[in-house]
Amino acid sequence: MHELGRLEDLPQDYRDELTRLNLVPLWPSLRAVLPPGVPSRKTQPTFWPYKALRPLLMRAGELTPMDKAERRVLVLANPGHGLEKMQASAAMYLGMQLLMPGEWAPSHRHTPNAVRMIVEGNSATTTVNGEKCPMERGDLILTPTGQWHEHEHAGVEPVVWLDVLDLPLIYFTETSYAIEGKRQEVRPGRGDQAYARGGVVPSPMFERGEQPYPMLRYPWSEARAALLALAADRPELEAVQVTYINPENGRDAQNNLGFHALMLRPGQTLRLPVRSPAVVFHQIEGSSQLSAAEAAHTLLEADTCCAPGYTEVTLRNLSTTQPAFLFMADESPLHRKLGVYENRG
Ligand SMILES: [Fe+2]
């Protein structure tokens, strides 16, 4: 590609006149916005060890009471975007949230789509549009766009979860806002019960459900069992992976971000395909070595890492006797909707 004219090649009076009229010449910036072959990415491979993060989160529990925080969160920010932008990638936000025993994070709803991956603690619940979801280690709980949600904790130990939102995307499109609400009334019926078995869905009086979010809690015990069953059934299968879906229509569980669980067999090394979306990795069980671009990190339980799109990522299970389990969040539904999704193999 040949070089194009630079801004400094233009006479100052011409540049001043353009600025006065809110005009910009394209050619000095053309290669920056349309780089050859591979997009430029601000997202850097970034690693957040839980062991280092946890004491700071617990200290936030002492420093900032709930009524001064509303949501007590330390944001996992990617330095490539600038920490003040509070984004893990172009479209993903990550936050580690703490709820102390007896606390209540009040009901609200907002335009960004959120999920939470439970990291530690028991006996907390998230109520989503009246459905009370227990929170246990490794569970995935959806709070899709516009759904009321609140968190409360009746246990004795702190509860921590990882929030994953499409906040940077919704904020970028100037559609991000929240509405405060009052305590929700709990209604009967739970999606994790109604859709507990694969291959069948509830169809009272012959009618099929058409809700956009029929299932709000995906218990880790079920996802883990599915991975173990898949691994046993297909010993030759390289990537033992499942995707969280809407059980009524098989589409992605949420609008913009995709959620997956991966099992690495004992001692396995897995090279992931080079794809367009950025990916977040969270170690649920066991330990893995993650290599992305020049960076390599050891992921112990509850550690989180992110890798930019168009990047080669290799995962290795550090145990030769036990499987390792990871949760992954990515931007694949968004890329597919935009028509820019790529899998370069
Ligand atoms: Fe929220």
Side-chain angles (χ1 to χ4, degrees):
M1 264 191 193
H2 70 280
E3 280 209 7
L4 301 175
R6 298 168 306 169
L7 198 58
E8 18 327 351
D9 298 338
L10 300 169
Q12 190 59 49
D13 67 308
Y14 178 73
R15 287 163 63 180
D16 291 346
E17 188 62 3
L18 290 180
T19 304
R20 199 177 65 78
L21 292 167
N22 297 322
L23 296 168
V24 178
L26 174 61
W27 58 97
S29 308
L30 185 66
R31 299 280 190 253
V33 291
L34 291 170
V38 180
S40 51
R41 286 140 297 161
K42 287 184 185 166
T43 304
Q44 294 172 1
T46 309
F47 173 60
W48 296 275
Y50 190 61
K51 197 174 171 223
L53 180 164
R54 190 184 187 279
L56 296 169
L57 187 59
M58 292 303 148
R59 216 173 142 205
E62 295 160 19
L63 294 170
T64 309
M66 209 52 188
D67 63 319
K68 292 287 177 199
E70 214 162 286
R71 296 292 191 269
R72 193 188 289 112
V73 176
L74 293 181
V75 177
L76 282 54
N78 194 304
H81 289 272
L83 298 185
E84 71 288 350
K85 290 280 169 61
M86 298 197 297
Q87 49 192 111
S89 71
M92 288 189 285
Y93 155 105
L94 295 176
M96 206 60 91
Q97 183 159 171
L98 169 68
L99 199 63
M100 298 298 283
E103 285 184 336
W104 177 60
S107 189
H108 72 181
R109 63 188 174 101
H110 41 68
T111 46
N113 295 273
V115 300
R116 38 219 101 250
M117 162 59 41
I118 318 310
V119 175
E120 71 165 279
N122 289 307
S123 307
T125 56
T126 294
T127 304
V128 188
N129 265 10
E131 180 175 326
K132 199 166 190 171
C133 303
M135 302 171 92
E136 285 169 24
R137 170 72 183 140
D139 289 354
L140 182 74
I141 295 172
L142 311 187
T143 55
T145 181
Q147 312 268 304
W148 292 108
H149 55 281
E150 63 193 271
H151 315 288
E152 63 191 313
H153 185 18
V156 289
E157 299 292 335
V159 162
V160 178
W161 62 83
L162 177 69
D163 290 310
V164 187
L165 279 78
D166 57 6
L167 178 62
L169 171 74
I170 303 300
Y171 187 77
F172 175 75
T173 54
E174 300 186 346
T175 54
S176 181
Y177 70 93
I179 293 174
E180 309 278 305
K182 43 184 206 306
R183 202 176 268 270
Q184 298 170 65
E185 263 180 47
V186 176
R187 58 175 168 80
R190 271 173 47 182
D192 62 347
Q193 302 299 310
Y195 295 91
R197 295 285 173 266
V200 290
V201 295
S203 55
M205 296 300 266
F206 308 99
E207 293 305 321
R208 287 283 306 278
E210 282 174 8
Q211 309 112 282
Y213 313 108
M215 193 161 161
L216 297 167
R217 172 180 182 245
Y218 296 74
W220 173 236
S221 57
E222 296 292 332
R224 189 182 193 279
L227 288 166
L228 287 168
L230 182 60
D233 182 52
R234 301 282 303 278
E236 82 293 356
L237 194 64
E238 209 189 344
V240 182
Q241 186 182 342
V242 294
T243 294
Y244 294 90
I245 59 154
N246 173 336
E248 284 289 354
N249 58 26
R251 298 201 186 103
D252 294 296
Q254 257 184 2
N255 291 323
N256 296 319
L257 302 182
F259 306 103
H260 321 270
L262 176 76
M263 175 183 137
L264 297 171
R265 299 174 200 267
Q268 184 184 3
T269 298
L270 180 66
R271 279 180 68 179
L272 301 180
V274 172
R275 302 183 310 136
S276 54
V279 184
V280 166
F281 300 88
H282 177 80
Q283 189 83 30
I284 298 181
E285 281 181 44
S287 54
S288 325
Q289 170 93 18
L290 185 146
S291 312
E294 307 294 280
H297 297 289
T298 298
L299 267 71
L300 305 175
E301 275 183 24
D303 287 353
T304 307
C305 192
C306 90
Y310 298 90
T311 303
E312 208 166 281
V313 176
T314 302
L315 291 164
R316 183 163 66 89
N317 183 351
L318 292 172
S319 169
T320 52
T321 56
Q322 299 296 320
F325 295 94
L326 292 118
F327 167 69
M328 293 182 293
D330 69 19
E331 299 159 334
S332 52
L334 173 67
H335 283 207
R336 288 195 175 96
K337 277 176 190 157
L338 295 175
V340 299
Y341 181 81
E342 273 187 69
N343 184 336
R344 296 187 175 183

